[in-house]
Structures are given as structure tokens and as C-alpha cells.
Amino acid sequence: MALLDRFPRHLLTPRGWGMLAAGGVALGAAFVMGRRDLLTLGILLLVLPFISLAGIRLVKPRFQVYREFHPSPVETSAPATVRLAVARKDPGSGRATMEERLPSRFGESPMFRFPARSAAGGTSRYEYHLRSAQRGQFRIGPVMAEFSDPFGLSTHRQAIDDGDILTVTPAAVVLPLTGLAGARGNDGITATRIRANPSDDDVMTREYRHGDPMRRVHWAATARHGALMVRQEESVTTPEATLILDHRFGAFAGSTGPSPAAKQARQQARGGQSMPTSDTFEWAVVAAMSIAAHLTERNYVLRLLDPRGEPAFLHSPSAPDPAAEEFTGSAGLQSIAESLAAIALSGSGHARDGSLWDFANRTDPRGGQDAGPAPFDDQLMDKLSAHRMRGPLIAMLGRISAEEALALAPAAGYGTNAFALVVAEKPGDQADVLEVLRQGGWRAVAVAPAVPVASAWAGFDGDDAVAATPAAEVRRGAGVAR
């Protein structure tokens, strides 16, 4: 048997290789002894395995695979249940060994027998569990089926489906309450009145319009104006918040040795999923997800932009609607989570180990730099000006230069409040940048990737670099500590 293990396993079974060996022995004996019957037997033994091998490749069993993920998408560190249903489409009744191909991060690929003992109606159902500590999009499958001929002489292995994509979204961290909402109520809603004239009556009245109920007629204002006036109802406005998510490679590339996240990015790139990232960028992604969840719970309408004023998820392969800028309610939060699942650093530059990365969605062939508008330029300012003073402005930034900070500083005037989170491996190096932003009206803090997101959020009250603390973060949904 040890000798048979050296032969290819996906051509013939041990029985088939044994038959070939027996055929060879019979041919040798026929040659030595001059026996025609041994010659016939030897030829038959040699031919049968190849006939079965040809037959199993010409007449392939056909299967249909259904795969479901629960939940879909799934948050990082949360378990996902994969349910498989495999049905045979032809009338055959043979057995097969099946294997669900998985990325190496998920461990060993599950194997199962077809048909299952509990098969009903010709369909076999299977279930297994997955868990990923990192966000991304991962191909689960295909199912590889290995079956043999009726005599058990040969085997054939083939993929019976194309697999499906599992989306792993970043888990949000519960953030403490801050003064972000300003004068707004706890429910995130504020009431306003239209003030046209200084008169107290006019503050609450307007001209009668066709269809207004007579019970709303304000008779004192009607007598004074000589025309029907009705009481003005309070108009409720929904608060808005604008988030600027920086995803430029130059802002998040480190300056020392390669980080575990960078190594993982390389592995993913070699495995066919190119998602350049870094420890600081992963922190920014979790912060963006957490802030989005924090504001959505308070009924904010969210607008997400990148430093150029374009939609933040324009180049995210996992975004349901890459061109979307505005997100509302739980459906909008779900869209943000999916968009953040596979968002990656954009641009080109040198990695921390000195090698050149070039994965830009847009590159300028003249110099290798990002094409399009400059960051924090007029296009971004125009987008912010269109929603001036409608709510807070929050920026999740990597390392930026003093010139970039000077360009971004005036943007604080477009929000009711302006917050900037600058994530860098050495927050102390960003002191000049923070000073420029603060002079422009921003409440800015610099953090290291080791700092819990909740601590950084609370650090806005101090406006200083936040020191790394070992405090654990409680994540939404997953319920695990970071």
C-alpha cells in the first residue's frame, strides 16, 4: 500500500493501480511461459482501468449546489453559519466524496459524503461554521466532488459550482456620549420655526393656503392683515453629519518594519484578493464604522466623502452603490458596513519594507501619483458648502502634512462642529498638524492604532494626543473584546 500511495490519487484508485500491476505481471508471465490465455488476461487487466477512466470523464455526474450564509454579511469575529444543499441532476446513484474549498484563514476545508444519511428528496444538506478576525470579501467554495466508476477502478475530481462571496464587515465599537449633538435632543431631532416678521403672531402664522383646515385659522392675525392667516406648524428637521474618510496610501503607510496587517495584505494579494491595508487604516475603518453606528442611532443622516470630495466608497469593491454619498437609517448603516468590508488604500507608494506598491484605482502615468483633484481642495469644499451648518463634520485622517492641514482647516466653518481623528504610529509627530486644525476651528486629536476607538472618541473633550490604554472595546453585534 505504501507503494500505491506514491501514484496519482485522482486518476485511479488503489484497486485500479493494483489491476494495472496484475496486468503487467500477467503479460510478463505470458511472455516467459508462452501462454496465450495469460496474454489475454494481461491485456484485459491493463485495458479495463483506462476504459473506466475514460468513461468517468466522458459521463460526468451533474450536481446543483445551493449555499447560504447566516448572517450575511457577517461582522468580524462573529460566527457565520454556512448551509449547503447539494442535489444530483442526473439519474445516477453513485456516491461521492465532497470538499468545500475555503481560504486558508478559515482553517481546514470541511469534507462530507454524498448522498448524506439524512438526504431527502434527492437533496443532501450540510452545515458548518466560519469565523474571520479580519474584514474583507472571501470566496467560499467551490465544492470539489470526487467520484469513481461503478467498479471502483478510477476516480475523477471536479468543481461542481463556482463558490459564493462571504462579506465580512468591520464590527462597530460602542462609543461614549459626547457633546457632538450640541443643542439637539436626545433623539437627534430638533424643532425649528420659520420667522418672517418680528411680530409674535407672525412667528406662528402664515397665509392661508387652499386645503388648510379652518381650525388652524389665526383670527387675530387675520384681522390685522386683512387676509386669512393660519397657525404655522413646527417643522422638524433631521440632523445631518458629514464624514471624511481618508484612504490614501501615503497617509497610512508606516515608516518602520512591516506590520501584521501589511503582511496579511500581501498574502491576500498573492491569494487573488488584493486589499492593501495597514494597522492605522484598519483602525480608521473601525472608527468610521463605529461613528456611523453611533450617529445612526441618533437619527442622523450620514454623508461620506473622501479627501477629494468624491463618494467615500467610489472604489470599494464591496460597496452596494459605490456612487452613493448619503446614507439614512438602518439600511444606510448596513450599506456603509458592506462598503467598508473591502475598502482598501488607494494610490501608489513605498511600503514600510521599502518595496513599491502600485494598486491605485487611478494613477497618473506621468509621475505615478494619484490623478484627479488634490485632497482637501475646492471640490471637497464645494461639497461641504452645499450642506453648510446642517450638522457636525468628522474627519478620519491618516498622517497629513502641515500644508494639507492648512488646506483642510477652513472646512470647519461648514459644520456646526468639526472633529478630526488623526491616526498615526507616532501621534506626537502630528502636533503641528493638530495645532493648524485647531486654529481653523477643528477639535482634533491624534491617536495610535493601539488606542481603543472609544477612548479616542472621548478624547475630543481634551483635544490632546490620546495615550494608549489597555482598556477593552465592546463591539456591537459580535460581543467580544478587542
Side-chain angles (χ1 to χ4, degrees), residues 54-78:
I56 202 173
R57 279 159 172 73
L58 293 176
V59 184
K60 299 177 182 178
R62 294 182 300 162
F63 297 89
Q64 194 163 12
V65 178
Y66 302 91
R67 185 182 289 100
E68 293 181 350
F69 303 114
H70 296 274
S72 178
V74 62
E75 291 183 346
T76 53
S77 300

Side-chain angles (χ1 to χ4, degrees), residues 20 49 77 165 168 190 194 204 231 237 252 330-331 372 413 423 441 445 465 481:
L20 283 181
S77 300
I165 297 297
V168 181
T190 183
I194 300 174
M204 296 293 294
R231 290 186 297 273
T237 60
F252 291 96
S330 58
V423 54
V445 296

Side-chain angles (χ1 to χ4, degrees), residues 61-64 84-99 111-126 143-148 160:
R62 294 182 300 162
F63 297 89
Q64 194 163 12
L84 274 176
V86 182
R88 192 159 184 168
K89 298 172 65 176
D90 54 41
S93 59
R95 295 183 175 273
T97 301
M98 297 189 174
E99 177 186 7
M111 300 184 68
F112 44 89
R113 294 282 184 178
F114 180 87
R117 293 181 179 179
S118 58
T123 301
S124 296
R125 302 183 186 277
Y126 313 91
V143 173
M144 302 297 297
E146 182 177 307
F147 41 86
S148 63
I160 60 176

Side-chain angles (χ1 to χ4, degrees), residues 315-402:
H315 303 290
S316 173
S318 60
D321 184 5
E325 294 182 357
E326 191 171 292
F327 303 88
T328 307
S330 58
L333 183 62
Q334 183 64 32
S335 180
I336 291 174
E338 293 184 35
S339 301
L340 288 171
I343 192 171
L345 295 175
S346 63
S348 61
H350 289 276
R352 294 192 292 184
D353 56 1
S355 58
L356 178 66
W357 283 80
D358 188 3
F359 41 77
N361 298 298
R362 301 160 306 177
T363 56
D364 184 350
R366 295 171 296 178
Q369 302 297 322
D370 295 343
F376 315 121
D377 208 349
D378 291 343
Q379 181 168 316
L380 174 63
M381 299 303 166
D382 290 343
K383 286 288 185 70
L384 299 179
S385 177
H387 299 272
R388 185 186 184 97
M389 303 303 293
R390 295 188 185 179
L393 177 62
I394 306 168
M396 279 73 70
L397 308 171
R399 293 181 297 110
I400 62 174
S401 64

Side-chain angles (χ1 to χ4, degrees), residues 187-202:
D187 59 353
I189 296 176
T190 183
T192 61
R193 293 184 177 91
I194 300 174
R195 301 174 182 267
N197 297 303
S199 169
D200 290 340
D201 288 335
D202 289 339

Side-chain angles (χ1 to χ4, degrees), residues 19 67 77 117 126 152 154 175 208 240 243 389 438:
M19 185 172 289
R67 185 182 289 100
S77 300
R117 293 181 179 179
Y126 313 91
S154 62
L175 301 180
Y208 175 85
E240 300 179 4
L243 280 68
M389 303 303 293
R438 289 167 183 166

Side-chain angles (χ1 to χ4, degrees), residues 160-187:
I160 60 176
D161 77 318
D162 297 327
D164 292 291
I165 297 297
L166 172 64
T167 300
V168 181
T169 64
V173 174
V174 178
L175 301 180
L177 295 176
T178 64
L180 174 66
R184 300 190 185 277
N186 292 329
D187 59 353

